[in-house]
Amino acid sequence: MKKLFFTFALLVLIMQSRAQSFQGIIKWSFTMTITDPKMKAQMEDAQKKMNDPANQAKMKEMEAKMNDPQFKAMMDSNPQLKAQMESAMKMMQSGDMSAMMPKGMIVKIKDSNTLMQMEGGMMANMEILYLKDKNQSYKIDRKDKTYSVLPNNTEQQQQSKQNADVKVTKTSETAKILGYTCTKYTVDYTSEGHTLHQILWSTTEIKDWDMKSMANQRMSSNQRIYFDKIDGVPLKVEMYMPQGNMVMEVKEINKQSLPASDFTIPSDFKEVALGFGGKY
């Protein structure tokens, strides 16, 4: 499950592609299928436990406890933990494990700044703001009026430039996505003994948006992004991993003027430490 969520975080980097003069809103959809037998069994077991009336009753008791003034005060002092618990509670009460998975993503772009918002799942309403002039990304929580500074990838970029174990192949196959002609690329590399396969459908018909600046970036030792051999910008990405398969596809591209205020951190927002050991 962890690696699948890493893939969503990887998309944050994809959308920080220094989109040249492009300005507008891009909407992505996500479709995920769990194929790993062990993980499927774990999810099915967890699904049964969540649907058990006794566990549902316990969830109601926990919900009541979360409304206790003292407990609420403790949770309010840790906004990130509060948001995580609220998301987990919502998922458990629904009895639907698939509710954990994001359903899509909305990305706003202006002057090479980006604002990404996840839709659905445990990451619902999570926002990542990238500011070009600072070359810095921030995780924003508008509900709690807080923000966290995300780690930069400078050292990871330098390390990844020393790796040449990713094979990118441009094919002659094409397909139409949103009216744009896209060329099929295949990407293969090995991570922790597993061969990972990706298919990207990229178009060069959006002249003010390109992925070349994303060449040789990665966000961890196992999650790499190699776009130096891919022309244009992918409108569809298929990922095949040991844990499962995922398809991400652009559903809307709306070129429009956006207010500069969308790409600022409100002055009354408080900075808080990033959870999960500095990861997101």
Side-chain angles (χ1 to χ4, degrees):
M1 186 68 69
K2 179 181 177 182
K3 289 185 178 180
L4 294 179
F5 282 121
F6 259 128
T7 305
F8 292 113
L10 177 149
L11 265 179
V12 176
L13 296 179
I14 290 179
M15 298 318 302
Q16 292 169 9
S17 56
R18 287 54 164 181
Q20 300 171 331
S21 60
F22 179 89
Q23 182 176 183
I25 300 176
I26 303 162
K27 296 183 179 181
W28 290 75
S29 68
F30 297 161
T31 304
M32 181 179 294
T33 304
I34 302 298
T35 58
D36 179 66
K38 182 178 179 180
M39 183 177 289
K40 287 181 69 175
Q42 291 174 341
M43 291 185 69
E44 290 173 358
D45 183 59
Q47 183 86 58
K48 291 179 181 178
K49 290 180 179 178
M50 284 194 300
N51 289 333
D52 182 83
N55 284 329
Q56 288 290 311
K58 289 180 181 179
M59 290 304 102
K60 290 183 179 180
E61 291 179 9
M62 178 60 72
E63 183 180 17
K65 183 178 181 180
M66 290 181 68
N67 290 324
D68 177 80
Q70 185 176 357
F71 189 81
K72 286 184 67 176
M74 181 183 70
M75 295 297 293
D76 289 340
S77 66
N78 191 332
Q80 288 186 315
L81 178 60
K82 178 182 177 182
Q84 293 159 12
M85 287 195 66
E86 288 177 345
S87 296
M89 285 291 297
K90 184 177 180 180
M91 181 269 294
M92 290 177 180
Q93 288 171 346
S94 70
D96 183 6
M97 282 295 293
S98 65
M100 294 176 61
M101 305 300 181
K103 306 301 180 185
M105 177 176 71
I106 297 175
V107 181
K108 295 182 179 181
I109 301 176
K110 179 184 177 71
D111 298 330
S112 297
N113 301 311
T114 63
L115 178 66
M116 182 213 76
Q117 180 177 349
M118 301 298 292
E119 295 184 305
M122 294 186 70
M123 294 182 180
N125 300 319
M126 182 185 80
E127 294 187 26
I128 302 295
L129 172 66
Y130 171 78
L131 300 179
K132 180 186 178 183
D133 62 339
K134 297 181 183 296
N135 191 27
Q136 183 63 63
S137 298
Y138 306 85
K139 178 178 178 292
I140 297 177
D141 187 327
R142 298 191 185 278
K143 180 179 179 182
D144 291 309
K145 294 187 175 182
T146 62
Y147 71 94
S148 301
V149 179
L150 297 177
N152 284 319
N153 297 304
T154 304
E155 181 180 349
Q156 293 172 343
Q157 292 177 26
Q158 293 174 347
Q159 293 174 349
S160 65
K161 289 180 180 179
Q162 301 174 6
N163 291 280
D165 57 346
V166 176
K167 181 181 179 181
V168 179
T169 303
K170 181 179 181 179
T171 75
S172 59
E173 188 175 349
T174 62
K176 287 282 188 178
I177 299 177
L178 295 179
Y180 297 102
T181 299
C182 297
T183 298
K184 178 181 177 180
Y185 289 80
T186 61
V187 181
D188 296 277
Y189 63 92
T190 300
S191 174
E192 297 182 355
H194 298 287
T195 298
L196 306 181
H197 180 66
Q198 299 179 13
I199 295 175
L200 293 86
W201 298 88
S202 185
T203 182
T204 58
E205 295 179 356
I206 304 177
K207 300 303 180 182
D208 50 2
W209 190 16
D210 192 85
M211 303 297 281
K212 290 293 185 180
S213 60
M214 288 302 298
N216 292 322
Q217 289 195 32
R218 68 179 181 181
M219 63 171 296
S220 75
S221 60
N222 300 318
Q223 298 292 334
R224 302 179 182 127
I225 311 175
Y226 283 76
F227 287 111
D228 55 322
K229 296 182 181 179
I230 297 176
D231 297 320
V233 58
L235 297 185
K236 184 176 181 180
V237 181
E238 304 171 30
M239 296 185 177
Y240 300 91
M241 299 165 283
Q243 297 84 7
N245 306 325
M246 180 168 58
V247 177
M248 302 164 287
E249 184 172 355
V250 173
K251 293 300 182 182
E252 292 183 32
I253 300 177
N254 298 314
K255 294 186 178 183
Q256 62 188 80
S257 178
L258 298 173
S261 58
D262 284 356
F263 304 90
T264 60
I265 299 175
S267 59
D268 60 337
F269 278 31
K270 177 183 178 181
E271 181 177 352
V272 297
L274 188 67
F276 298 107
K279 298 180 180 179
Y280 66 101

